[in-house]
């Protein structure tokens, strides 16, 4: 009895009845203390209970005995966020390998233990994950070490978690309920770990459809939306052909994102898997009125066409001397760099080099940061990043409440690399470029700028005015314009496909069909410049509309959240999809 009382007293002392607030040193002390007690108890138990069977070293039994034991109920109070760490900036700029080191099993379990399994999980709401990943479910499965079940749950809602787990900005974490007063759960890290383990364990194998419908679908563009639509429509049994104007499949995933953020072997691995499942890919094939393949020819050869070309028209900076050499759009710079890297390891010289140059990147965001990181790897002499807007606050502003995406000051990998190697953060805020300055040879040599000031108007909007006497000159041998995108190219659409006021492809609200019979649109060409995860959602939803159009009634493809809606003809007892129209006739009679 005395021994039991002593154990109860020790357990009571180890508990913390009050929440541990961010920055409270007691949290770390508590966690370290619990780990020491756990290690001590495990060692003592092993010495006390070693028998003849255990002495033979059963690997599975040893793994089970040494499994990390965590408190899932109070994990959100007890454990800190464990984020993926970037490799050392001193060494990583010498190669093009991925930046992050993945979390180990114990770290992932700590993250899963922090998930509260909220009654209303905002992480999968409209302000969180656009594809409504059932995040608490696979967090729990990872915590229980049920990795294959977690993979199956994840693939019900996300076609390409290996992409979103690496390059998505994770709006789900911005909407995490724990993020109200703590660091949010590391959802993105867990997602990436699930799919990576799926491939490593051999669980990701081709699953071609058992039956084919005989319907043909042509998809123009192989970015996130195009690939997601192709994957879904192939699962529905349709014959899908994807047309890509570049020499490799992937669109933005292949050439728009540098290799250090998304290894192209990861992209090619998924493309190869889809090809084994029956999707046909056609590369180096532009689609347009003046090309061998046109929209009209695809309409005549296919039962449906999906346009998923993205929003590739970049916003220009039309100031004096824009025609000088050395001024490029960001995507030209990134595309040519990745193509040369994949073709020859940059040995062919077919890329825009930043070596020994003063580089100025105009515009922020992920694309601007990618230009910064790529320039550093080339060996740029200096890198400066102009941003028109003021520096964001370190914490949420009053007009940016949870669960909105937090518009706060962040330091990304490119900023860290410049600061490490050049001594200061590359960003210059509240900068308006006035004119480019060139030399006698017609090459850019710098930019004249002035500073601006932002003030809030009486109506709640923001007014910009020039700061007198703030003119300044920045040297620049290479200028990269990263100011966003305006919409899809007219080269493909011409005047046949109707557009909205923003020059995107126009579709009815909540639908993906265009004004042309059998022609659908998905992705940035329909909704405007957006995230990869939104592209995947667009492709999935468009596939549902295409399937309904081809089969006449309903679709067996899942909607957002992995939900499969029950088709009306199933309610009427007609299980064959080919008898949908007869089912309607029966219902009407």
């Amino acid at each position: 009895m005395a021994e039991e009382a002593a154990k109860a007293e020790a357990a009571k002392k180890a508990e913390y009845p009050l929440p541990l607030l961010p920055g409270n040193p007691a949290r770390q002390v508590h966690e370290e203390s619990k780990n020491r007690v756990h290690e001590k108890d495990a060692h003592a138990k092993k010495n006390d209970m070693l028998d003849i069977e255990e002495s033979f070293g059963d690997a599975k039994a040893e793994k089970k005995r040494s499994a990390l034991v965590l408190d899932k109920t109070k994990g959100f109070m007890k454990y800190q966020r464990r984020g993926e760490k970037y490799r050392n900036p001193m060494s990583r700029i010498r190669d093009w390998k991925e930046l992050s080191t993945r979390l180990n099993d114990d770290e992932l379990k700590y993250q899963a233990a922090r998930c509260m399994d909220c009654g209303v999980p905002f992480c999968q709401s409209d302000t969180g994950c656009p594809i409504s990943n059932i995040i608490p479910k696979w967090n729990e499965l990872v915590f229980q070490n049920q990795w294959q079940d977690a993979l199956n749950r994840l693939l019900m809602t996300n076609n390409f978690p290996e992409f979103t787990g690496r390059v998505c900005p994770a709006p789900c974490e911005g909407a995490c309920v724990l993020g109200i007063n703590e660091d949010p759960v590391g959802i993105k890290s867990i997602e990436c770990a699930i799919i990576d383990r799926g491939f490593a364990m051999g669980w990701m194998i081709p699953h071609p459809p058992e039956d084919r419908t005989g319907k043909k679908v042509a998809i123009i563009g192989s970015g996130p939306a195009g690939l997601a639509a192709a994957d879904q429509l192939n699962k529905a049994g349709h014959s899908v052909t994807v047309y890509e104007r570049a020499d490799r499949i992937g669109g933005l995933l292949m050439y728009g994102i540098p290799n250090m953020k998304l290894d192209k072997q990861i992209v090619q691995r998924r493309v190869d898997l889809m090809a084994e499942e029956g999707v046909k890919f056609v590369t180096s094939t532009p689609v347009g009125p003046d090309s061998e393949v046109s929209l009209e020819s695809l309409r005549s050869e296919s039962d449906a066409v999906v346009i998923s070309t993205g929003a590739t028209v970049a916003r220009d900076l039309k100031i004096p001397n824009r025609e000088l050499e050395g001024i490029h759009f960001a995507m030209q710079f990134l595309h040519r760099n990745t193509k040369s890297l994949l073709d020859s390891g940059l040995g062919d010289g077919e890329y825009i080099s930043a070596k020994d140059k003063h580089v100025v990147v105009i515009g922020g965001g992920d694309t601007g940061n990618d230009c910064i990181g790529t320039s550093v790897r080339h060996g740029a002499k200096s890198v400066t990043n102009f941003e028109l807007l003021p520096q964001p606050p370190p914490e949420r502003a009053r007009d940016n409440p949870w669960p909105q995406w937090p518009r706060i000051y962040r330091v990304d990998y490119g900023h860290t690399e410049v600061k490490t190697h050049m001594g200061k953060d590359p960003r210059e805020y509240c900068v308006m470029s006035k004119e480019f300055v060139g030399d006698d040879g017609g090459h850019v040599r710098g930019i004249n700028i002035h500073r601006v000031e932002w003030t809030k108007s009486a109506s709640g909007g923001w007014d910009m005015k020039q700061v007198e006497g703030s003119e300044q000159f920045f040297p620049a041998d290479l200028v990269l314009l990263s100011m966003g995108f305006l919409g899809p190219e007219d080269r493909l659409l011409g005047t046949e496909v109707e557009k909205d006021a923003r020059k995107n492809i126009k579709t009815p609200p909540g639908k993906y069909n265009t004004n042309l019979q059998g022609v659908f649109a998905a992705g940035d060409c329909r909704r405007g410049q957006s995230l990869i995860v939104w592209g995947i959602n667009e492709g999935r939803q468009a596939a549902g509309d295409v399937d309904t159009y081809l089969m006449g009634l309903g679709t067996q493809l899942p909607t957002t959240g992995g939900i499969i809606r029950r088709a009306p003809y199933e309610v009427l007892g007609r299980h064959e999809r080919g008898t949908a129209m007869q089912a309607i006739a029966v219902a009407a009679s």
Side-chain angles (χ1 to χ4, degrees):
M1 293 295 290
E3 184 179 353
E4 292 180 1
K7 288 183 179 180
E9 183 67 21
K12 187 174 181 181
K13 288 181 179 180
E15 291 181 356
Y16 282 85
L18 296 176
L20 297 169
L21 300 176
N24 190 340
R27 174 189 294 278
Q28 186 174 357
V29 173
H30 169 70
E31 199 166 327
E32 292 174 353
S33 174
K34 294 291 284 184
N35 289 338
R36 285 196 299 268
V37 172
H38 174 72
E39 292 172 2
K40 183 178 179 181
D41 290 347
H43 182 70
K45 183 177 180 181
K46 183 175 180 181
N47 291 336
D48 293 343
M49 301 182 66
L50 184 66
D51 57 26
I52 188 64
E53 292 181 358
E54 291 176 327
S55 65
F56 288 105
D58 187 333
K60 291 184 179 180
E62 182 62 29
K63 183 177 181 181
K64 184 176 181 181
R65 283 195 301 273
S66 62
L68 185 65
V69 178
L70 298 177
D71 183 354
K72 183 70 167 68
T73 305
K74 298 181 180 179
F76 68 97
M77 293 191 295
K78 291 184 176 181
Y79 311 129
Q80 292 177 306
R81 176 185 170 99
R82 284 161 166 76
E84 293 183 357
K85 295 180 175 60
Y86 284 153
R87 294 191 291 130
N88 191 311
M90 295 297 293
S91 58
R92 72 185 187 222
I93 67 161
R94 302 192 187 103
D95 60 52
W96 298 90
K97 297 177 182 178
E98 285 197 349
L99 298 161
S100 300
T101 55
R102 304 298 168 199
L103 301 182
N104 60 38
D105 285 359
D106 284 355
E107 291 171 325
L108 289 166
K109 192 166 185 178
Y110 270 109
Q111 282 310 288
R114 299 180 72 238
C115 179
M116 298 186 289
D117 194 13
C118 306
V120 181
F122 282 83
C123 57
Q124 61 191 58
S125 68
D126 292 341
T127 55
C129 180
I131 52 179
S132 295
N133 278 329
I134 313 300
I135 294 166
K137 181 65 176 177
W138 40 259
N139 279 348
E140 175 64 24
L141 291 170
V142 167
F143 183 81
Q144 299 294 341
N145 206 35
Q146 298 176 21
W147 287 89
Q148 193 164 6
D149 290 337
L151 176 66
N152 294 335
R153 175 65 265 184
L154 176 58
L155 292 176
M156 287 176 66
T157 54
N158 190 352
N159 298 72
F160 314 122
E162 67 270 37
F163 304 154
T164 54
R166 284 173 165 81
V167 297
C168 182
C172 53
E173 295 186 12
C176 175
V177 175
L178 187 56
I180 295 175
N181 64 339
E182 290 272 6
D183 289 331
V185 177
I187 300 169
K188 179 178 170 181
S189 300
I190 298 175
E191 178 184 31
C192 191
I194 292 171
I195 187 64
D196 283 354
R197 179 165 297 208
F199 276 105
M201 297 297 292
W203 298 331
M204 295 296 296
I205 59 176
H207 292 289
E210 296 180 0
D211 300 307
R212 290 289 180 181
T213 63
K215 303 291 186 180
K216 296 181 179 179
V217 181
I219 297 179
I220 308 171
S222 65
L227 290 180
D231 194 33
Q232 292 295 95
L233 289 168
N234 183 65
K235 285 181 169 67
H238 307 305
S239 298
V240 181
T241 304
V242 180
Y243 294 87
E244 169 59 49
R245 64 178 173 178
D247 60 339
R248 291 180 174 88
I249 294 295
L252 170 76
L253 299 167
M254 180 61 72
Y255 284 134
I257 301 173
N259 199 77
M260 61 272 195
K261 282 183 67 177
L262 177 60
D263 195 306
K264 304 315 164 190
Q265 294 180 1
I266 301 293
V267 181
Q268 192 58 49
R269 180 179 65 182
R270 174 60 71 170
V271 172
D272 292 343
L273 180 64
M274 292 177 63
E276 292 179 35
E277 291 180 332
V279 178
K280 183 180 179 182
F281 295 104
V282 181
T283 58
S284 304
T285 306
V287 177
D290 301 326
S291 304
E292 183 177 344
V293 179
S294 65
L295 180 58
E296 281 304 313
S297 67
L298 292 179
R299 291 182 68 190
S300 63
E301 297 169 1
S302 308
D303 298 291
V305 178
V306 180
I307 302 173
S308 56
T309 55
T312 54
V313 178
R315 180 178 283 107
D316 205 349
L317 181 61
K318 297 179 180 179
I319 59 176
N321 301 321
R322 168 65 179 83
E323 72 283 354
L324 291 171
E325 293 182 14
I327 303 173
H328 305 273
F329 289 116
M331 274 301 157
Q332 294 175 336
F333 177 69
L334 296 175
H335 181 112
R336 290 176 60 176
N337 182 81
T338 301
K339 178 169 171 51
S340 179
L341 178 67
L342 297 178
D343 288 346
S344 63
L346 301 182
D348 57 11
E350 295 294 325
Y351 65 99
I352 301 169
S353 176
K355 184 175 177 58
D356 297 328
K357 294 180 180 179
H358 295 290
V359 180
V360 172
V361 180
I362 301 179
D366 289 335
T367 303
N369 183 61
D370 292 340
C371 290
I372 293 171
T374 301
S375 299
V376 172
R377 281 159 179 76
H378 284 179
K381 187 179 295 184
S382 70
V383 181
T384 306
N385 183 202
F386 292 166
E387 297 208 26
L388 180 62
L389 297 175
Q391 179 175 320
E395 298 179 348
R396 288 181 184 270
R398 292 175 63 89
D399 60 350
N400 178 216
W402 174 91
Q404 293 179 0
W405 171 250
R407 299 187 296 273
I408 60 175
Y409 179 77
R410 292 179 172 85
V411 179
D412 214 326
Y413 76 95
H415 310 136
T416 302
E417 291 167 359
V418 172
K419 187 173 183 179
T420 300
H421 292 273
M422 302 176 188
K424 65 184 291 288
D425 192 290
R427 287 169 288 187
E428 296 282 346
Y429 291 97
C430 297
V431 170
M432 173 75 79
S433 301
K434 292 178 60 178
E435 64 174 350
F436 297 111
V437 178
D439 57 19
D440 294 337
H443 198 284
V444 67
R445 285 293 175 255
I447 307 176
N448 285 324
I449 65 99
H450 60 75
R451 304 283 176 169
V452 296
E453 184 179 34
W454 294 88
T455 56
K456 207 160 191 177
S457 64
S459 61
W462 289 93
D463 295 329
M464 180 184 72
K465 66 177 182 179
Q466 181 177 341
V467 178
E468 296 297 330
S470 63
E471 291 78 8
Q472 191 175 352
F473 174 81
F474 281 85
D477 306 308
L478 177 63
V479 178
L480 303 173
L481 305 180
S482 172
M483 302 183 296
F485 299 89
L486 300 176
E489 299 177 25
D490 290 332
R491 169 190 58 81
L492 165 66
L493 306 179
T495 58
E496 291 183 335
V497 180
E498 188 177 358
K499 301 176 186 176
D500 61 19
R502 298 171 58 201
K503 297 184 178 181
N504 298 322
I505 298 176
K506 186 176 181 180
T507 61
K511 299 292 183 182
Y512 296 83
N513 57 290
T514 68
N515 61 305
L516 300 179
Q517 182 73 15
V519 178
F520 299 79
D524 290 2
C525 66
R526 189 192 81 96
R527 64 173 283 119
Q529 178 188 357
S530 190
L531 305 176
I532 286 176
V533 68
W534 270 111
I536 294 174
N537 181 65
E538 289 268 311
R540 289 173 64 90
Q541 301 308 309
D545 279 11
V546 173
D547 188 40
T548 299
Y549 167 78
L550 293 176
M551 303 311 296
L553 178 66
T555 178
Q556 293 299 295
L557 293 174
T559 60
T560 302
I563 299 171
I564 300 177
R565 292 176 179 169
R566 193 175 183 187
Y569 55 83
E570 285 187 272
V571 177
L572 297 170
R574 303 284 183 154
H575 299 283
E576 294 297 328
R577 301 182 70 196
T579 62
M581 299 312 296
Q582 292 91 322
I584 294 176
V586 170
S589 60

